[in-house]
Amino acid sequence: ARINTESNKAAISEAVIAATGLELTIGGDLSLSMFPNFGLALADVRLRNPAFPQELASTSSLVLNIELTSLLRGQIKVREIFTTDLHANYFIDVNGISIWSIGATEPDASDRNPSSPEGITELPAFSVDRLRIGNASIDIQDASKQARYQIDNLILDSQDTNLEGRPFSVALQFDYVNNGISAAIPMALRFNVQADLSDRSIHFSDMQLSITP
């Protein structure tokens, strides 16, 4: 059977919007491997909130390696997620609403957008042994405060990322620019996260920040 088909891409997109309420578009090729792990490679991936015209994020390449035995147990055990050339937008309008806000759609959008907190808690157990992001950038704009920031050359590495309450570590390196005026400031950030989807809680600890003048 052919894997790189529009119907298979549409099936993935439908699964994403059902789980998150966000629209995923796969503009490039889709490839699949089965052993030893279930591997999925996507090219030219774009993410959008149906409530806003701006694109949330895009990447030239996204690779997922998922443990097959976990799927049989009704869990999602991801060995690795790796993406390169990721660009994300974090925009806040004059009313203080972020384009990442789920549910800020038409009144009847909840009928086709099962992404309320109640719906999210019904997701299967999810964890990622390693999450890697390379050569990423983030454009941050807050119209309510007339502020704009840029993060470039972002590298993220996270171990045992999960939503089950187990602490996991996150390491970031990036260049920070304020309103396009200041010169880029190299920064590094490390911290631990404890996120529990069942009680909708998230905690940060042991945060370490270093700045290179």
Side-chain angles (χ1 to χ4, degrees), residues 40-188:
L40 190 63
L42 313 174
D44 188 13
V45 181
R46 301 177 183 277
L47 191 67
R48 194 178 76 86
N49 187 337
F52 299 92
Q54 301 95 337
E55 194 171 76
L56 294 178
S58 63
T59 181
S60 60
S61 174
L62 175 64
V63 178
L64 299 92
N65 289 310
I66 303 173
E67 188 179 273
L68 279 174
T69 55
S70 69
L71 294 177
L72 300 177
R73 297 192 302 266
Q75 301 174 334
I76 301 177
K77 178 66 173 179
V78 182
R79 289 295 185 188
E80 184 177 42
I81 298 178
F82 176 63
T83 181
T84 56
D85 301 322
L86 172 72
H87 178 76
N89 294 312
Y90 186 77
F91 298 162
I92 299 174
D93 65 18
V94 293
N95 298 314
I97 299 175
S98 165
I99 63 172
W100 287 84
S101 300
I102 302 299
T105 56
E106 297 81 10
D108 62 345
S110 58
D111 295 336
R112 62 177 180 83
N113 184 356
S115 59
S116 63
E118 290 78 9
I120 292 176
T121 57
E122 296 174 0
L123 286 173
F126 174 84
S127 63
V128 182
D129 283 352
R130 189 175 188 189
L131 171 63
R132 293 188 297 148
I133 298 176
N135 192 33
S137 62
I138 305 174
D139 188 8
I140 304 169
Q141 299 183 42
D142 188 343
S144 65
K145 299 179 180 179
Q146 296 298 307
R148 181 169 184 174
Y149 313 94
Q150 182 74 28
I151 293 175
D152 294 318
N153 303 318
L154 172 68
I155 299 173
L156 181 148
D157 199 339
S158 176
Q159 307 284 339
D160 190 27
T161 307
N162 70 91
L163 303 175
E164 302 165 7
R166 299 191 310 276
F168 61 93
S169 62
V170 179
L172 295 165
Q173 297 180 30
F174 55 91
D175 294 335
Y176 171 78
V177 180
N178 181 4
N179 287 321
I181 299 175
S182 62
I185 303 174
M187 305 178 72

Side-chain angles (χ1 to χ4, degrees), residues 199-210:
D199 63 8
R200 306 173 198 170
S201 65
I202 183 168
H203 303 282
F204 299 91
S205 62
D206 299 328
M207 189 171 295
Q208 301 176 26
L209 174 66
S210 63

